[in-house]
């Protein structure tokens, strides 16, 4: 049976709407008080797993789910061995370098050499500053990265920004964008190549669903 | 000024109660709707940072907080360069190996060689199985580790257990305990040795507060 790994949080509602447009109904995941981590879709054709965004590619890489939906940011940070199939268009955000609004740095290259940069995305942050040939010390944090510059622990942060509200509330400003991120449809590479459980049909339908939705938005 | 890093979640209430017993009032962190990440205590003598449990030792290691309260589990997993000062007694839980109740494994050594073990605590899990000279593959997850055995992705998990309710709900049983964990008072080593901001007085008072509380519990 087809299994789809869905990310908790921001992307869940959109992911469920997209899957519903191709006949897979996982809306039970959205019911208040529903604590289930796996459910069958209403028609019994597929199984859904609701997991942390960072865990989606793990379930897909190990073949426990043939398909998954996850933000580009997670794929860039974890570099999992999964097939990246369709840009789903929703869940836009960007990975940015931000500093205190009161400081004089207008670009990452203005930072003092060997500055401290706090981030939940240590690989993205490290790769970016290496690509600039600019030495910094990355401080790994799990949450509230904006506290780094506020407490003086770090000169800058690398973090996901969607509306920019959190940065503003904390007196921080963006000075560079590493990349933009949207939700991606991913697949277990072997299942994709061997068309296990007929997943290529589902992929085609989802691709079409996305195109129709995007045309709908434009019209 | 003294800065104390406090962990969000389970340990926060207890930590705030303990600090209150030595005259530092951070109870504003518990007010509903309070989104502040740093506050002054009511007397203005100290500053509190409310951060993710995993980030507490980071703020202490970098000296942004002289003191911190964090679970032994985080210290064992991250091995931060901080001074471990007082076992605070609260926040008891244990790091356990668990498997499906329906499987025949009664001990970690009963697992098939090269089994997959899912965990949020990859270092603890790796160290433990290495100490047994038993080869396993660790699968890093961020949440809902119990889905590992349920979906068949892993034979076992290594995870924190407090009441055991989550395991039971998911049909899992513990077959070994790696270690037991309670909340610890930690300090920035240099601040501790140099008695910066008179932190040794605070440490003595907290040590006394814990002893009194433990005696109180016993009587």
């Amino acid at each position: 049976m087809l299994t789809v790994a869905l990310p908790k949080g921001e992307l869940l509602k959109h992911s469920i709407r997209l899957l519903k447009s191709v006949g897979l109904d996982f809306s039970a995941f959205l019911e208040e008080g529903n604590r289930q981590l796996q459910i069958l879709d209403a028609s019994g054709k597929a199984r859904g797993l609701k997991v942390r965004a960072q865990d989606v590619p793990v379930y897909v890489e190990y073949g426990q789910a043939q398909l998954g939906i996850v933000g580009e940011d997670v794929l860039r940070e974890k570099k999992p061995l999964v097939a990246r199939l369709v840009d789903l268009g929703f869940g836009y955000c960007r990975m940015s370098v931000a500093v205190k609004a009161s400081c004089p740095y207008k670009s990452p290259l203005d930072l003092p050499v060997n500055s401290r940069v706090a981030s939940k995305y240590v690989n993205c942050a490290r790769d970016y500053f290496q690509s600039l040939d600019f030495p910094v010390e990355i401080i790994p944090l799990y949450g509230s990265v904006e506290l780094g510059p506020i407490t003086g622990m770090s000169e800058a942060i690398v973090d996901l920004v969607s509306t920019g509200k959190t940065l503003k509330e904390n007196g921080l400003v963006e000075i560079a964008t590493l990349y933009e991120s949207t939700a991606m449809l991913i697949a277990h590479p072997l299942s994709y190549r061997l068309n296990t459980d007929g997943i290529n049909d589902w992929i085609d339908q989802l691709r079409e669903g996305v195109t129709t939705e995007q045309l709908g938005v434009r019209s």
Side-chain angles (χ1 to χ4, degrees), chain A residues 126-144:
Chain A
R126 189 177 298 115
D127 291 353
Y128 175 71
F129 280 97
Q130 274 181 1
S131 77
L132 296 179
D133 296 316
F134 193 86
V136 296
E137 180 184 357
I138 310 291
I139 302 182
L141 287 179
Y142 278 74
S144 305

Side-chain angles (χ1 to χ4, degrees), chain A residues 24-202:
Chain A
L24 296 175
D25 185 0
F26 296 115
S27 49
F29 275 144
L30 295 174
E31 284 165 15
E32 221 169 297
N34 186 325
R35 288 183 57 202
Q36 286 179 285
L37 301 174
Q38 58 173 343
I39 55 172
L40 281 184
D41 98 293
S43 67
K45 277 182 292 199
R47 190 170 63 138
L49 303 177
K50 187 176 73 177
V51 299
R52 287 277 197 106
Q54 295 98 321
D55 291 342
V56 166
V58 179
Y59 285 91
V60 174
E61 189 171 340
Y62 281 90
Q64 242 52 44
Q66 289 82 49
L67 294 178
I69 294 177
V70 67
E72 167 87 14
D73 56 305
V74 175
L75 299 177
R76 292 226 188 192
E77 178 65 17
K78 303 285 167 199
K79 300 186 176 72
L81 299 171
V82 297
R84 299 164 51 120
L85 298 178
V86 186
D87 181 343
L88 302 176
F90 58 80
Y92 170 82
C93 49
R94 54 191 180 274
M95 190 65 75
S96 293
V97 183
V99 296
K100 270 181 148 173
S102 58
C103 80
Y105 317 127
K106 301 292 173 214
S107 124
L109 295 176
D110 293 340
L111 288 167
V113 169
N114 297 323
S115 283
R116 289 173 176 172
V117 177
S119 188
K120 285 181 268 187
Y121 296 82
V122 291
N123 295 322
C124 291
R126 189 177 298 115
D127 291 353
Y128 175 71
F129 280 97
Q130 274 181 1
S131 77
L132 296 179
D133 296 316
F134 193 86
V136 296
E137 180 184 357
I138 310 291
I139 302 182
L141 287 179
Y142 278 74
S144 305
V145 177
E146 56 275 14
L147 256 184
I150 291 174
T151 59
M153 183 166 66
S154 74
E155 277 82 21
I157 63 173
V158 166
D159 206 14
L160 266 194
V161 181
S162 67
T163 62
K165 198 173 152 231
T166 307
L167 289 185
K168 208 171 170 185
E169 280 178 0
N170 289 286
L172 303 177
V173 288
E174 291 170 78
I175 55 170
T177 300
L178 281 66
Y179 57 82
E180 300 187 318
S181 171
T182 44
M184 303 287 295
L185 179 69
I186 60 172
H188 181 240
L190 205 60
S191 304
Y192 177 52
R193 287 301 169 201
L194 298 179
N195 193 19
T196 314
D197 295 317
I199 69 164
N200 289 358
D201 275 352
W202 292 111

